[in-house]
Amino acid sequence: QKEVEQDPGPLSVPEGAIVSLNCTYSNSAFQYFMWYRQYSRKGPELLMYTYSSGNKEDGRFTAQVDKSSKYISLFIRDSQPSDSATYLCAMSAFSGGTSYGKLTFGQGTILTVHP
Amino acid sequence: KAGVTQTPRYLIKTRGQQVTLSCSPISGHRSVSWYQQTPGQGLQFLFEYFSETQRNKGNFPGRFSGRQFSNSRSEMNVSTLELGDSALYLCASTVQGHEQFFGPGTRLTVL
């Protein structure tokens, strides 16, 4: 079983829709949670970073973390065609030993927003 | 502030050769991590360097190695290339080790 599970999609939505992306994890040592966006043939771009349970909002993006359920989500409001990309969740544990500098990623969800 | 830069952007090699990839982190970032991205396995952690020391290593064979210089620039080397080493190699830099910023990657094709 993978430490981080993410539905690969693909997910296709109309412009203006609310998008919900989700990841579950099994390693209770994970304390830091990130969402990245990756356009084709580019490097991942950090969208959201959080380390506590609850919601964090940044513009049209809201990251939600539920540590008790080992579940994280990213919501995109008023989705735009320019949001079409692969979205990756990533997690890390407290620094030390085998955790130094290591992010564990989900498989990524391919999102297409059509006009 | 300049982002993470990686050179070269594209490489084509043949089996058995070796390759060296370079990464320059964001100014002030001392931690550099390397990842391999493939369609089948996704993003997998290779290793992390901080102040010229390897602090962590992922589950890859010894053919994959790296180093970091005093200016925080890092290189990774893959010896005796195999077809399965074809991938996008990404480096990321950070101050704390969690909030990582990625470069554009080097796309390696092994023929």
Side-chain angles (χ1 to χ4, degrees):
Chain A
Q1 183 190 2
K2 289 179 183 285
E3 284 187 291
V4 181
E5 298 279 0
Q6 182 177 5
D7 186 343
L11 189 59
S12 181
V13 301
E15 183 175 355
I18 296 174
V19 176
S20 173
L21 306 166
N22 312 294
C23 288
T24 59
Y25 62 97
S26 57
N27 188 347
S28 57
F30 288 145
Q31 297 293 326
Y32 303 90
F33 306 92
M34 285 135 279
W35 285 95
Y36 287 87
R37 175 174 64 193
Q38 186 174 25
Y39 291 113
S40 181
R41 309 190 84 79
K42 304 282 188 184
E45 172 194 1
L46 181 63
L47 285 175
M48 301 287 283
Y49 166 70
T50 184
Y51 48 84
S52 57
S53 284
N55 294 351
K56 180 178 180 180
E57 191 173 315
D58 184 0
R60 295 185 296 112
F61 299 93
T62 299
Q64 189 174 78
V65 174
D66 182 345
K67 290 186 181 180
S68 62
S69 301
K70 297 190 179 66
Y71 187 89
I72 69 169
S73 300
L74 178 71
F75 298 96
I76 307 174
R77 289 183 299 282
D78 188 24
S79 56
Q80 302 295 310
S82 59
D83 294 328
S84 299
T86 297
Y87 289 80
L88 297 148
C89 64
M91 310 178 186
S92 64
F94 286 121
S95 289
T98 58
S99 297
Y100 279 124
K102 178 182 178 181
L103 296 183
T104 301
F105 284 84
Q107 281 292 100
T109 299
I110 300 170
L111 171 67
T112 301
V113 181
H114 50 87
Chain B
K1 207 175 207 183
V4 177
T5 58
Q6 292 187 246
T7 57
R9 293 293 311 279
Y10 302 91
L11 266 179
I12 299 175
K13 293 285 186 178
T14 57
R15 278 181 298 173
Q17 288 187 308
Q18 76 166 18
V19 66
T20 300
L21 313 181
S22 181
C23 171
S24 292
I26 293 170
S27 177
H29 288 192
R30 294 166 63 189
S31 168
V32 173
S33 296
W34 287 88
Y35 295 85
Q36 181 195 66
Q37 186 175 30
T38 59
Q41 299 298 317
L43 269 147
Q44 293 187 287
F45 173 75
L46 280 157
F47 30 65
E48 187 256 6
Y49 286 88
F50 181 87
S51 292
E52 303 178 66
T53 300
Q54 185 184 88
R55 295 194 300 184
N56 198 6
K57 190 176 190 316
N59 189 24
F60 278 82
R63 300 185 296 107
F64 291 82
S65 63
R67 59 177 175 169
Q68 187 180 36
F69 302 95
S70 59
N71 62 357
S72 294
R73 189 177 70 85
S74 179
E75 289 181 346
M76 69 163 281
N77 183 276
V78 188
S79 63
T80 318
L81 284 166
E82 300 178 359
L83 295 178
D85 296 333
S86 294
L88 180 67
Y89 289 90
L90 293 156
C91 82
S93 75
T94 181
V95 174
Q96 298 280 356
H98 303 292
E99 192 178 5
Q100 295 187 8
F101 298 89
F102 282 81
T106 295
R107 185 162 297 279
L108 172 65
T109 301
V110 182
L111 303 176

